[in-house]
Amino acid sequence: MNILVVSNMYPSDKDKLYGTFVRNFVEGLSELDFDGSLSLVVIRGKRRSKLAKIAAYVKFYSDLTSRLLFRRYDLVYIHTITFPILPVLFASIFRRLPLVFNVHGDDVLPATRLKKMLKRLAAGILPEARMVVAPSDYFKDVVLREFPELSGDRLFVSPSGGVNDRFFVKKKSGFSCTRLVRLGYVSRIDEGKGWDTFLRAVSILTKRGVECSGVMAGRGAQTAALHEMIDRLGIGDRVTYLGGVEQHALPDLYSSFDLLVFPTGREAESLGLVGIEAMAAGTPVIAGNVGGPASYIAEGENGYLFSPGDSDELVERIESYIRLTPSEKSAMSDAAKATASGYRSGIVHLQMYEKLKSLIPPSE
């Protein structure tokens, strides 16, 4: 297969966490298609100034327009339907493109005026795509709701590259009733992600005399507010903030937690891959009852769900876990691993590869 992969997010040497799901997709497909060719038009890493960002997009749009107009591909696989859409619409005036779109949360449920405008532009060309990829069954329904003109048989569910085998590690410690409970948070430090709900829960547990600690990993626009809240709640001795953590270090980090808290309140949380990664390491997940996480967490079996933003309810779920016997905690850990096994990247990549092959007519 000769495929052009397009994304305005891709890791760079300086920004190794930026768009890792796109890189994982590219690497997984490359391993399967030895006779094929994968070409990239991407923006590598974030830009720190508006001028640098503008320059990056000018080059991105120029390269993409040239590729679409003057080269032929079996498929053009586009991650996100917002920022890459302008060159796609322009090129489609002159030739029919073999398009595949991979939609993500903010594409379909945009929060900014610019993304809302780009979403409206994309709506006209989505029905012409050979396939539209959604990260979960939950988000497939959201896509059909937001784009009623899109045929359901054009939608394919694929969970963002799945979970690499390296995440399936052994738990670092056993299960007991007495030791300190280690709570983890691995996500963006942004509005709607629930980092503040997590901190309030740690504060409540501390006041109740529960021996617990919180470890937080991730970057975002509200990092300064996070530090301010830690100081205000007086839990600096309970919470460790690691900043951004590279992918290779995540398996050991997940396995060190007793529970991963994924307190998102965003409907646009199309899958919530971090929850599945934590489960691969045998760590149960407590997540906001919304979006993708609500589709893979079985209450009381591999984790718990709570009302987003409700720190008291989150504390209740944490205490429910604490009250379990060691054998019950071990069983929940095993159930978490079993859930994650269905998302192994080898399975996900092979399914995607076979599906993409089926989209190419024999004559091509």
Side-chain angles (χ1 to χ4, degrees):
M1 288 188 290
N2 183 19
I3 300 178
L4 176 65
V5 178
V6 179
S7 177
N8 64 317
M9 297 184 294
Y10 203 83
S12 67
D13 290 339
K14 292 183 178 180
D15 282 310
K16 296 181 179 181
L17 303 179
Y18 188 63
T20 52
F21 60 95
V22 182
R23 183 191 60 197
N24 293 342
F25 165 82
V26 170
E27 291 178 350
L29 210 60
S30 297
E31 290 174 3
L32 290 170
D33 192 13
F34 298 106
D35 298 324
S37 173
L38 279 178
S39 303
L40 302 181
V41 176
V42 297
I43 295 179
R44 297 178 185 270
K46 286 188 175 182
R47 300 302 188 272
R48 307 307 174 190
S49 69
K50 288 185 178 180
L51 187 61
K53 184 176 289 188
I54 290 171
Y57 271 95
V58 168
K59 184 178 186 304
F60 177 66
Y61 285 159
S62 175
D63 290 349
L64 180 54
T65 301
S66 175
R67 295 284 193 104
L68 295 177
L69 287 176
F70 302 113
R71 298 192 188 184
R72 292 192 175 276
Y73 299 95
D74 294 326
L75 294 170
V76 177
Y77 194 105
I78 303 172
H79 278 275
T80 78
I81 59 171
T82 49
F83 290 109
I85 200 65
L86 295 176
V88 174
L89 290 172
F90 177 75
S92 66
I93 296 172
F94 302 97
R95 62 190 301 190
R96 189 171 182 85
L97 301 171
L99 299 172
V100 175
F101 289 102
N102 195 321
V103 297
H104 302 277
D106 288 343
D107 297 344
V108 181
L109 299 170
T112 67
R113 185 178 301 176
L114 176 58
K115 282 193 172 183
K116 288 177 181 177
M117 180 196 73
L118 294 172
K119 173 188 170 182
R120 288 194 295 270
L121 292 175
I125 199 169
L126 274 184
E128 299 178 18
R130 295 189 182 181
M131 185 170 73
V132 176
V133 181
S136 64
D137 288 317
Y138 152 76
F139 210 64
K140 176 181 177 179
D141 292 338
V142 173
V143 173
L144 290 174
R145 183 192 74 201
E146 294 294 315
F147 299 101
E149 66 277 12
L150 189 60
S151 172
D153 60 7
R154 295 285 183 95
L155 276 161
F156 179 68
V157 175
S158 182
S160 300
V163 180
N164 192 283
D165 285 347
R166 65 176 178 270
F167 284 91
F168 290 83
V169 296
K170 186 177 181 179
K171 289 291 287 180
K172 282 192 170 183
S173 55
F175 303 96
S176 71
C177 296
T178 57
R179 66 183 180 81
L180 178 143
V181 178
R182 188 173 166 93
L183 307 172
Y185 173 98
V186 180
S187 190
R188 296 285 299 172
I189 312 298
D190 286 331
E191 185 176 357
K193 286 293 191 177
W195 59 267
D196 49 341
T197 305
F198 177 83
L199 291 179
R200 283 193 293 270
V202 172
S203 177
I204 294 169
L205 288 166
T206 300
K207 290 176 181 177
R208 292 185 182 181
V210 177
E211 286 295 317
C212 69
S213 67
V215 177
M216 305 184 74
R219 294 194 180 100
Q222 296 185 318
T223 303
L226 177 143
H227 289 295
E228 187 277 331
M229 189 172 185
I230 290 173
D231 291 339
R232 176 162 46 83
L233 293 175
I235 53 174
D237 60 335
R238 295 279 182 161
V239 176
T240 302
Y241 174 62
L242 302 177
V245 175
E246 294 186 18
Q247 269 205 324
H248 69 82
L250 285 175
D252 284 341
L253 183 63
Y254 287 133
S255 72
S256 71
F257 302 148
D258 293 297
L259 293 167
L260 177 80
V261 180
F262 191 17
T264 182
R266 300 168 68 246
E267 186 187 4
E269 203 72 65
S270 54
L271 177 62
L273 191 62
V274 295
I276 302 171
E277 290 174 346
M279 286 184 173
T283 299
V285 177
I286 303 180
N289 190 9
V290 66
S295 67
Y296 59 74
I297 292 178
E299 182 70 21
E301 295 181 22
N302 58 12
Y304 302 92
L305 295 167
F306 74 101
S307 302
D310 192 334
S311 299
D312 291 317
E313 189 177 342
L314 171 56
V315 168
E316 289 177 10
R317 298 297 183 269
I318 294 170
E319 290 181 329
S320 293
Y321 176 81
I322 293 173
R323 287 193 293 268
L324 296 178
T325 66
S327 62
E328 288 171 333
K329 291 175 181 177
S330 180
M332 185 172 280
S333 175
D334 291 341
K337 271 188 175 290
T339 298
S341 292
Y343 293 85
R344 284 184 181 271
S345 57
I347 297 171
V348 171
H349 290 149
L350 182 59
Q351 290 173 340
M352 174 63 77
Y353 174 70
E354 295 295 338
K355 186 65 177 179
L356 291 176
K357 280 203 307 182
S358 74
L359 299 176
I360 303 173
S363 59
E364 295 185 27

